[in-house]
Coordinates of all heavy atoms in Angstrom, one line a residue:
M1 N -22.3 17.8 101.6 CA -23.5 18.3 101.0 C -24.6 17.3 100.8 O -24.3 16.2 100.3 CB -23.0 18.9 99.6 CG -24.1 19.8 99.0 SD -24.6 21.3 100.0 CE -23.1 22.2 99.8
R2 N -25.7 17.6 101.2 CA -26.9 16.7 101.1 C -28.1 17.4 100.6 O -28.2 18.6 100.6 CB -27.2 16.0 102.5 CG -26.1 15.0 102.9 CD -26.6 14.2 104.1 NE -26.5 15.1 105.3 CZ -27.2 14.7 106.4 NH1 -27.8 13.5 106.5 NH2 -27.1 15.4 107.5
L3 N -29.1 16.6 100.2 CA -30.4 17.2 99.8 C -30.9 18.0 101.0 O -30.9 17.6 102.1 CB -31.4 16.1 99.5 CG -31.2 15.4 98.2 CD1 -32.2 14.2 98.0 CD2 -31.2 16.3 97.0
G4 N -31.4 19.2 100.6 CA -32.0 20.1 101.6 C -31.0 21.0 102.3 O -31.4 21.9 103.1
D5 N -29.7 20.8 102.0 CA -28.7 21.7 102.6 C -28.8 23.1 102.1 O -29.2 23.3 101.0 CB -27.3 21.1 102.3 CG -26.8 20.1 103.4 OD1 -27.7 19.8 104.3 OD2 -25.7 19.6 103.3
D6 N -28.2 24.0 102.8 CA -28.1 25.4 102.4 C -27.0 25.5 101.4 O -25.9 24.9 101.6 CB -27.9 26.3 103.6 CG -29.1 26.4 104.5 OD1 -30.1 25.9 104.1 OD2 -28.9 27.0 105.6
I7 N -27.2 26.3 100.4 CA -26.1 26.5 99.5 C -26.3 27.9 98.8 O -27.4 28.4 98.6 CB -26.1 25.5 98.4 CG1 -24.8 25.5 97.5 CG2 -27.3 25.5 97.5 CD1 -24.6 24.3 96.7
D8 N -25.2 28.6 98.6 CA -25.3 29.9 97.9 C -25.3 29.7 96.5 O -24.4 28.9 95.9 CB -24.1 30.8 98.3 CG -24.3 31.6 99.6 OD1 -25.4 31.6 100.1 OD2 -23.3 32.2 100.1
D9 N -26.2 30.4 95.7 CA -26.2 30.2 94.3 C -26.8 31.5 93.7 O -27.4 32.3 94.4 CB -27.0 29.0 93.8 CG -26.7 28.7 92.4 OD1 -25.7 29.1 91.8 OD2 -27.4 27.8 91.9
H10 N -26.5 31.7 92.4 CA -27.1 32.9 91.8 C -28.5 32.5 91.2 O -28.7 31.6 90.6 CB -26.2 33.3 90.6 CG -26.7 34.5 89.9 ND1 -27.5 34.5 88.8 CD2 -26.6 35.8 90.2 CE1 -27.8 35.7 88.4 NE2 -27.3 36.5 89.3
C11 N -29.4 33.4 91.6 CA -30.8 33.2 91.1 C -31.1 34.2 90.0 O -30.9 35.4 90.1 CB -31.8 33.4 92.3 SG -33.5 33.4 91.7
S12 N -31.5 33.6 88.9 CA -31.7 34.4 87.7 C -33.0 35.3 87.9 O -33.2 36.3 87.2 CB -31.9 33.6 86.4 OG -33.0 32.7 86.6
R13 N -33.9 34.9 88.8 CA -35.1 35.7 89.0 C -34.8 36.8 90.0 O -35.2 38.0 89.7 CB -36.2 34.8 89.6 CG -37.5 35.0 88.9 CD -38.6 34.3 89.6 NE -38.8 33.0 88.9 CZ -39.9 32.2 89.1 NH1 -40.8 32.6 90.0 NH2 -40.1 31.1 88.5
C14 N -34.0 36.5 91.0 CA -33.7 37.6 91.9 C -32.5 38.4 91.4 O -32.2 39.5 91.9 CB -33.2 37.0 93.3 SG -34.6 36.0 94.0
K15 N -31.8 37.9 90.4 CA -30.6 38.5 89.8 C -29.5 38.8 90.8 O -28.9 39.9 90.7 CB -31.1 39.8 89.0 CG -32.0 39.5 87.9 CD -32.2 40.8 87.1 CE -33.4 40.7 86.1 NZ -33.5 39.4 85.4
R16 N -29.4 37.9 91.7 CA -28.3 38.1 92.6 C -28.1 36.7 93.3 O -28.8 35.8 93.1 CB -28.6 39.2 93.7 CG -29.8 38.8 94.6 CD -30.3 40.0 95.3 NE -31.5 39.7 96.1 CZ -31.4 39.3 97.3 NH1 -30.3 39.0 97.9 NH2 -32.5 39.0 98.0
S17 N -27.1 36.7 94.2 CA -26.7 35.6 94.9 C -27.6 35.5 96.1 O -27.6 36.4 96.9 CB -25.3 35.6 95.3 OG -24.8 34.3 95.6
T18 N -28.3 34.4 96.3 CA -29.2 34.2 97.4 C -29.0 32.9 98.1 O -28.3 32.0 97.5 CB -30.7 34.3 97.0 OG1 -30.9 33.3 96.0 CG2 -31.0 35.6 96.3
D19 N -29.7 32.7 99.2 CA -29.7 31.4 99.9 C -30.5 30.4 99.1 O -31.6 30.7 98.7 CB -30.3 31.5 101.3 CG -29.2 32.1 102.2 OD1 -28.1 32.1 101.9 OD2 -29.7 32.6 103.3
H20 N -30.0 29.2 98.9 CA -30.8 28.2 98.1 C -30.8 26.9 99.0 O -30.0 26.7 99.9 CB -30.1 27.9 96.8 CG -30.3 28.9 95.8 ND1 -29.8 30.2 95.8 CD2 -31.1 28.9 94.6 CE1 -30.2 30.9 94.8 NE2 -30.9 30.1 94.0
S21 N -31.7 26.0 98.6 CA -31.7 24.6 99.2 C -31.4 23.7 98.1 O -31.8 23.9 96.9 CB -33.1 24.3 99.7 OG -33.4 25.2 100.7
V22 N -30.6 22.7 98.4 CA -30.3 21.6 97.5 C -31.5 20.8 97.2 O -32.0 20.2 98.2 CB -29.1 20.8 97.9 CG1 -28.8 19.7 96.9 CG2 -27.9 21.6 98.1
V23 N -32.0 20.6 96.0 CA -33.2 19.7 95.7 C -32.8 18.5 94.9 O -33.6 17.6 94.8 CB -34.3 20.6 95.1 CG1 -34.8 21.6 96.0 CG2 -33.8 21.2 93.8
S24 N -31.7 18.6 94.2 CA -31.3 17.4 93.4 C -29.8 17.3 93.3 O -29.1 18.2 93.2 CB -31.9 17.6 92.0 OG -31.5 16.5 91.2
M25 N -29.4 16.0 93.5 CA -27.9 15.7 93.5 C -27.6 14.5 92.7 O -28.4 13.6 92.5 CB -27.4 15.5 94.9 CG -27.4 16.8 95.7 SD -26.6 16.6 97.3 CE -24.9 16.5 96.7
M26 N -26.4 14.5 92.2 CA -25.8 13.3 91.5 C -24.5 13.0 92.1 O -23.5 13.7 91.9 CB -25.7 13.6 89.9 CG -25.0 12.5 89.2 SD -26.2 11.4 88.4 CE -26.7 12.4 87.0
G27 N -24.5 12.0 93.0 CA -23.3 11.7 93.7 C -23.0 12.9 94.7 O -23.8 13.3 95.5
E28 N -21.8 13.5 94.5 CA -21.4 14.6 95.3 C -21.7 16.0 94.6 O -21.5 17.0 95.2 CB -19.9 14.6 95.6 CG -19.5 13.5 96.5 CD -19.9 13.6 97.9 OE1 -19.6 14.6 98.5 OE2 -20.7 12.7 98.3
E29 N -22.3 15.8 93.4 CA -22.5 17.1 92.6 C -24.0 17.6 92.8 O -24.9 16.8 92.7 CB -22.3 16.7 91.2 CG -21.5 17.7 90.4 CD -21.2 17.3 89.0 OE1 -20.6 16.2 88.8 OE2 -21.6 18.0 88.0
V30 N -24.0 18.8 93.1 CA -25.4 19.5 93.2 C -25.9 19.8 91.8 O -25.3 20.4 91.0 CB -25.3 20.8 94.0 CG1 -26.7 21.4 94.1 CG2 -24.8 20.5 95.4
L31 N -27.1 19.2 91.5 CA -27.7 19.5 90.2 C -28.7 20.6 90.2 O -28.7 21.4 89.3 CB -28.4 18.2 89.6 CG -27.5 17.0 89.4 CD1 -28.3 15.8 88.9 CD2 -26.3 17.3 88.5
K32 N -29.5 20.6 91.2 CA -30.6 21.6 91.2 C -30.7 22.2 92.5 O -30.5 21.6 93.6 CB -32.0 21.0 90.8 CG -32.1 20.8 89.3 CD -33.5 20.1 89.0 CE -34.5 21.2 88.9 NZ -35.8 20.6 88.5
T33 N -31.0 23.5 92.6 CA -31.3 24.2 93.8 C -32.6 25.0 93.7 O -33.1 25.2 92.7 CB -30.1 25.2 94.0 OG1 -30.1 26.2 93.0 CG2 -28.8 24.6 94.1
R34 N -33.1 25.3 94.9 CA -34.3 26.1 95.0 C -34.0 27.4 95.8 O -33.5 27.4 96.9 CB -35.4 25.4 95.6 CG -36.7 26.2 95.7 CD -37.8 25.6 96.6 NE -38.3 24.4 96.1 CZ -38.4 23.2 96.7 NH1 -37.9 23.2 97.9 NH2 -38.9 22.2 96.1
C35 N -34.3 28.5 95.1 CA -34.1 29.8 95.7 C -35.0 29.9 96.9 O -36.2 29.7 96.8 CB -34.3 30.9 94.7 SG -34.2 32.6 95.4
R36 N -34.4 30.4 98.0 CA -35.3 30.6 99.2 C -36.0 31.9 99.2 O -36.9 32.1 100.1 CB -34.4 30.4 100.5 CG -33.9 29.1 100.6 CD -33.4 28.9 102.1 NE -33.1 27.5 102.3 CZ -32.7 27.0 103.4 NH1 -32.5 27.8 104.5 NH2 -32.5 25.7 103.5
T37 N -35.6 32.7 98.3 CA -36.3 34.0 98.2 C -37.5 34.0 97.4 O -38.6 34.5 97.7 CB -35.3 35.2 97.7 OG1 -34.1 35.1 98.6 CG2 -35.9 36.5 97.7
C38 N -37.4 33.4 96.2 CA -38.5 33.3 95.3 C -39.1 32.0 95.0 O -40.0 31.7 94.3 CB -38.2 34.0 93.9 SG -36.9 33.0 93.0
N39 N -38.5 31.0 95.7 CA -38.9 29.5 95.6 C -38.8 28.9 94.2 O -39.5 28.0 93.9 CB -40.3 29.4 96.1 CG -40.3 29.3 97.6 OD1 -39.4 28.6 98.2 ND2 -41.3 29.9 98.2
S40 N -38.0 29.5 93.3 CA -37.9 28.9 92.0 C -36.8 27.9 92.0 O -35.7 28.1 92.5 CB -37.7 30.0 90.9 OG -36.4 30.5 91.0
E41 N -37.0 26.8 91.3 CA -36.0 25.7 91.2 C -35.3 26.0 89.8 O -35.8 26.3 88.9 CB -36.6 24.3 91.2 CG -37.0 23.9 92.5 CD -37.6 22.4 92.5 OE1 -37.2 21.7 91.5 OE2 -38.3 22.1 93.4
H42 N -34.0 25.8 89.9 CA -33.2 25.9 88.7 C -31.9 25.1 88.9 O -31.5 24.7 89.9 CB -32.9 27.3 88.4 CG -32.1 28.1 89.5 ND1 -30.8 27.9 89.8 CD2 -32.6 28.9 90.5 CE1 -30.5 28.6 90.8 NE2 -31.6 29.2 91.2
K43 N -31.2 24.9 87.7 CA -29.9 24.2 87.7 C -29.0 25.0 88.6 O -28.9 26.2 88.6 CB -29.4 24.2 86.3 CG -29.3 22.8 85.7 CD -28.7 22.9 84.3 CE -27.3 23.0 84.3 NZ -26.7 23.2 82.9
Y44 N -28.1 24.2 89.3 CA -27.2 24.8 90.1 C -26.1 25.5 89.3 O -25.5 24.9 88.4 CB -26.5 23.7 91.0 CG -25.4 24.3 91.9 CD1 -25.6 25.4 92.7 CD2 -24.2 23.6 92.1 CE1 -24.6 25.9 93.5 CE2 -23.3 24.1 92.9 CZ -23.4 25.2 93.7 OH -22.4 25.7 94.5
R45 N -25.9 26.8 89.5 CA -25.0 27.6 88.6 C -23.7 27.7 89.3 O -22.8 28.4 88.8 CB -25.6 28.9 88.3 CG -26.9 28.8 87.6 CD -27.3 30.2 87.1 NE -28.5 30.1 86.3 CZ -29.7 30.0 86.7 NH1 -30.0 29.9 88.0 NH2 -30.7 29.9 85.8
Q46 N -23.5 27.2 90.4 CA -22.2 27.3 91.1 C -21.8 28.8 91.3 O -20.7 29.1 91.3 CB -21.1 26.6 90.3 CG -21.4 25.1 90.3 CD -20.4 24.4 89.3 OE1 -19.5 25.0 88.8 NE2 -20.7 23.2 89.0
N47 N -22.9 29.6 91.5 CA -22.7 31.0 91.8 C -21.9 31.7 90.8 O -21.1 32.5 91.1 CB -22.1 31.1 93.2 CG -22.8 32.1 94.0 OD1 -23.6 32.8 93.5 ND2 -22.5 32.1 95.3
K48 N -22.0 31.3 89.5 CA -21.1 31.8 88.5 C -21.1 33.3 88.2 O -20.1 33.8 87.7 CB -21.3 31.0 87.2 CG -20.6 29.7 87.2 CD -20.9 29.0 85.9 CE -20.1 27.6 85.9 NZ -20.6 26.7 85.0
S49 N -22.1 33.9 88.6 CA -22.2 35.4 88.2 C -21.3 36.2 89.2 O -21.0 37.3 88.9 CB -23.6 35.9 88.3 OG -23.9 36.0 89.6
R50 N -20.9 35.6 90.2 CA -20.0 36.3 91.1 C -18.6 36.4 90.5 O -17.9 35.5 90.5 CB -19.9 35.5 92.5 CG -20.9 36.0 93.5 CD -20.4 35.5 94.8 NE -21.5 35.7 95.8 CZ -21.4 35.1 97.0 NH1 -20.3 34.4 97.4 NH2 -22.3 35.3 97.9
S51 N -18.2 37.6 90.1 CA -17.0 37.8 89.4 C -15.8 37.6 90.3 O -14.7 37.2 89.9 CB -16.9 39.2 88.7 OG -17.1 40.1 89.7
K52 N -16.0 37.8 91.7 CA -14.9 37.6 92.6 C -14.5 36.2 92.8 O -13.5 35.9 93.3 CB -15.1 38.4 93.9 CG -16.3 37.8 94.6 CD -16.4 38.6 95.9 CE -17.6 38.0 96.8 NZ -17.7 38.7 98.1
E53 N -15.5 35.3 92.5 CA -15.2 33.9 92.7 C -15.2 33.2 91.3 O -16.0 32.5 91.0 CB -16.3 33.3 93.5 CG -16.1 33.7 95.0 CD -17.1 33.0 95.9 OE1 -17.7 32.0 95.5 OE2 -17.4 33.6 96.9
M54 N -14.1 33.5 90.6 CA -14.0 32.9 89.2 C -13.5 31.5 89.3 O -12.7 31.2 90.1 CB -13.1 33.7 88.4 CG -13.7 35.0 87.8 SD -12.7 35.8 86.6 CE -11.3 36.4 87.6
T55 N -14.0 30.7 88.4 CA -13.4 29.3 88.3 C -12.1 29.5 87.5 O -11.8 30.6 87.0 CB -14.3 28.4 87.5 OG1 -14.4 28.9 86.2 CG2 -15.7 28.3 88.1
A56 N -11.3 28.4 87.6 CA -10.0 28.4 86.9 C -10.2 28.7 85.4 O -9.4 29.5 84.8 CB -9.3 27.1 87.1
K57 N -11.2 28.2 84.8 CA -11.4 28.4 83.4 C -11.8 29.8 83.1 O -11.4 30.5 82.2 CB -12.5 27.4 82.8 CG -12.7 27.6 81.3 CD -13.7 26.7 80.7 CE -13.7 26.8 79.3 NZ -13.8 28.3 78.8
E58 N -12.7 30.4 83.9 CA -13.2 31.7 83.8 C -12.0 32.7 84.0 O -11.9 33.7 83.2 CB -14.3 32.0 84.8 CG -15.6 31.5 84.3 CD -16.7 31.6 85.4 OE1 -16.3 31.7 86.6 OE2 -17.8 31.6 85.1
A59 N -11.2 32.4 84.9 CA -10.0 33.2 85.2 C -9.1 33.2 83.9 O -8.5 34.2 83.5 CB -9.2 32.8 86.4
F60 N -8.9 32.0 83.4 CA -8.0 31.8 82.2 C -8.6 32.6 81.1 O -7.9 33.3 80.4 CB -8.0 30.3 81.9 CG -7.1 30.1 80.7 CD1 -5.7 30.1 80.7 CD2 -7.8 29.8 79.5 CE1 -5.0 29.9 79.6 CE2 -7.0 29.5 78.3 CZ -5.6 29.6 78.4
D61 N -9.9 32.4 80.8 CA -10.6 33.2 79.7 C -10.4 34.7 79.9 O -10.2 35.4 78.9 CB -12.1 32.8 79.6 CG -12.3 31.4 79.1 OD1 -11.3 30.9 78.6 OD2 -13.4 30.9 79.2
H62 N -10.5 35.1 81.1 CA -10.4 36.6 81.5 C -9.0 37.1 81.1 O -8.9 38.1 80.4 CB -10.8 36.8 82.9 CG -10.8 38.2 83.3 ND1 -11.8 39.1 82.9 CD2 -9.9 39.0 84.0 CE1 -11.5 40.3 83.4 NE2 -10.4 40.2 84.1
V63 N -8.1 36.3 81.5 CA -6.7 36.7 81.2 C -6.4 36.7 79.7 O -5.8 37.6 79.1 CB -5.7 35.7 81.9 CG1 -4.2 36.0 81.4 CG2 -5.8 35.9 83.4
L64 N -6.9 35.6 79.1 CA -6.8 35.5 77.6 C -7.4 36.7 76.9 O -6.8 37.2 76.0 CB -7.4 34.1 77.2 CG -7.1 33.7 75.7 CD1 -5.6 33.3 75.7 CD2 -8.0 32.5 75.4
A65 N -8.6 37.0 77.4 CA -9.3 38.1 76.7 C -8.5 39.4 76.9 O -8.5 40.3 76.0 CB -10.7 38.3 77.3
S66 N -7.9 39.6 78.0 CA -7.2 40.9 78.2 C -5.9 40.9 77.4 O -5.4 41.9 77.0 CB -6.9 41.0 79.7 OG -6.0 40.0 80.2
V67 N -5.3 39.7 77.2 CA -4.1 39.6 76.3 C -4.4 39.8 74.8 O -3.8 40.6 74.1 CB -3.4 38.3 76.5 CG1 -2.4 38.0 75.5 CG2 -2.9 38.1 77.9
T68 N -5.5 39.2 74.4 CA -5.9 39.3 73.0 C -6.7 40.5 72.7 O -7.1 40.7 71.6 CB -6.7 38.1 72.6 OG1 -7.8 37.9 73.3 CG2 -5.8 36.8 72.7
G69 N -7.0 41.3 73.7 CA -7.9 42.4 73.5 C -9.3 42.1 73.2 O -10.1 42.8 72.5
A70 N -9.7 40.9 73.8 CA -11.1 40.3 73.7 C -11.5 40.2 72.3 O -12.7 40.1 71.9 CB -12.1 41.3 74.4
Q71 N -10.6 40.0 71.3 CA -10.9 39.7 70.0 C -10.6 38.2 69.8 O -9.4 37.8 69.8 CB -10.1 40.5 69.0 CG -10.3 42.0 69.1 CD -11.6 42.4 68.4 OE1 -12.1 41.7 67.6 NE2 -12.1 43.5 68.8
P72 N -11.6 37.4 69.6 CA -11.3 36.0 69.4 C -10.6 35.6 68.2 O -9.8 34.7 68.1 CB -12.7 35.3 69.4 CG -13.7 36.4 69.4 CD -13.0 37.7 69.6
E73 N -10.9 36.3 67.1 CA -10.2 36.0 65.9 C -8.8 36.7 65.8 O -8.7 37.8 66.4 CB -11.0 36.3 64.6 CG -11.2 37.8 64.3 CD -12.3 38.4 65.1 OE1 -12.8 37.9 66.1 OE2 -12.8 39.5 64.7
T74 N -7.9 36.2 65.0 CA -6.6 36.9 64.8 C -6.8 38.2 64.0 O -7.4 38.1 62.9 CB -5.6 35.9 64.1 OG1 -5.7 34.7 64.7 CG2 -4.2 36.4 64.2
P75 N -6.3 39.2 64.5 CA -6.5 40.5 63.7 C -5.7 40.5 62.5 O -4.6 40.1 62.4 CB -5.9 41.6 64.7 CG -5.7 40.9 66.0 CD -5.6 39.4 65.8
S76 N -6.4 40.9 61.4 CA -5.7 40.9 60.1 C -5.5 42.4 59.7 O -6.5 43.2 59.7 CB -6.6 40.2 59.0 OG -6.2 40.6 57.8
P77 N -4.3 42.8 59.3 CA -4.1 44.2 59.0 C -4.8 44.6 57.7 O -5.0 45.8 57.5 CB -2.6 44.3 58.8 CG -2.1 42.8 58.7 CD -3.1 41.9 59.3
A78 N -5.1 43.7 56.9 CA -5.7 44.0 55.6 C -7.2 44.4 55.8 O -7.8 45.1 55.0 CB -5.6 42.9 54.6
K79 N -7.8 43.8 56.8 CA -9.2 44.0 57.0 C -9.5 45.1 58.0 O -8.7 45.3 59.0 CB -9.9 42.7 57.5 CG -10.0 41.7 56.4 CD -10.7 40.4 57.0 CE -10.9 39.4 56.0 NZ -11.5 38.2 56.5
K80 N -10.6 45.8 57.7 CA -11.0 46.8 58.7 C -11.7 46.1 59.9 O -12.4 45.1 59.7 CB -12.0 47.8 58.1 CG -11.3 48.9 57.3 CD -12.4 49.8 56.8 CE -11.8 50.9 55.9 NZ -12.8 51.7 55.3
K81 N -11.4 46.6 61.1 CA -12.0 46.0 62.2 C -13.4 46.5 62.4 O -13.7 47.6 62.2 CB -11.3 46.5 63.5 CG -10.2 45.5 64.0 CD -9.7 45.9 65.3 CE -8.5 45.1 65.7 NZ -7.9 45.6 67.0
K82 N -14.3 45.5 62.6 CA -15.7 45.9 62.9 C -15.8 46.3 64.3 O -15.3 45.7 65.2 CB -16.6 44.7 62.6 CG -16.9 44.4 61.2 CD -17.9 43.2 61.0 CE -18.1 43.0 59.5 NZ -18.8 41.8 59.4
Q83 N -16.5 47.4 64.5 CA -16.7 47.9 65.9 C -18.0 47.4 66.4 O -19.0 47.7 65.9 CB -16.6 49.4 65.9 CG -15.3 50.0 65.7 CD -14.2 49.6 66.7 OE1 -14.6 49.3 67.9 NE2 -13.0 49.6 66.3
Ligands
LIG101 ZN1 -34.7 33.9 93.6

């Protein structure tokens, strides 16, 4: 991966995954990309909005949420649940 290379990323303006160009890097890490559709520069999001390509942590959080019922706090029987 080098400056100017093509990269897929999620564009918040286009609200979808689009073709981007790498505009800023730190070592091997892509820092900033520019959307080729709307030409806006933004931090590289590693295409995070794509649910089918979850990172390990996102996958873990997803599994954890399904186990705990997406309630971060421990449910207390004495308290009423807020909906
Ligand atoms: Zn865009």
Side-chain angles (χ1 to χ4, degrees):
M1 190 62 68
R2 289 191 284 169
L3 287 176
D5 272 4
D6 293 351
I7 192 168
D8 273 351
D9 197 11
H10 181 264
C11 176
S12 59
R13 225 185 266 195
C14 301
K15 297 191 193 318
R16 65 193 176 88
S17 198
T18 59
D19 283 342
H20 285 69
S21 299
V22 177
V23 293
S24 179
M25 292 189 71
M26 175 96 74
E28 292 292 301
E29 224 176 302
V30 178
L31 296 182
K32 285 178 82 176
T33 60
R34 181 191 291 126
C35 175
R36 293 197 168 181
T37 304
C38 68
N39 276 323
S40 73
E41 281 184 25
H42 56 78
K43 246 179 80 184
Y44 180 44
R45 296 188 173 83
Q46 298 168 10
N47 230 347
K48 271 179 184 163
S49 75
R50 269 193 191 175
S51 52
K52 63 178 180 179
E53 289 180 22
M54 283 192 286
T55 64
K57 185 184 182 306
E58 282 170 337
F60 177 78
D61 286 347
H62 184 73
V63 170
L64 193 69
S66 66
V67 169
T68 61
Q71 297 284 337
E73 74 272 23
T74 314
S76 161
K79 285 180 181 176
K80 279 183 183 174
K81 268 187 187 176
K82 281 182 184 175
Q83 291 295 337

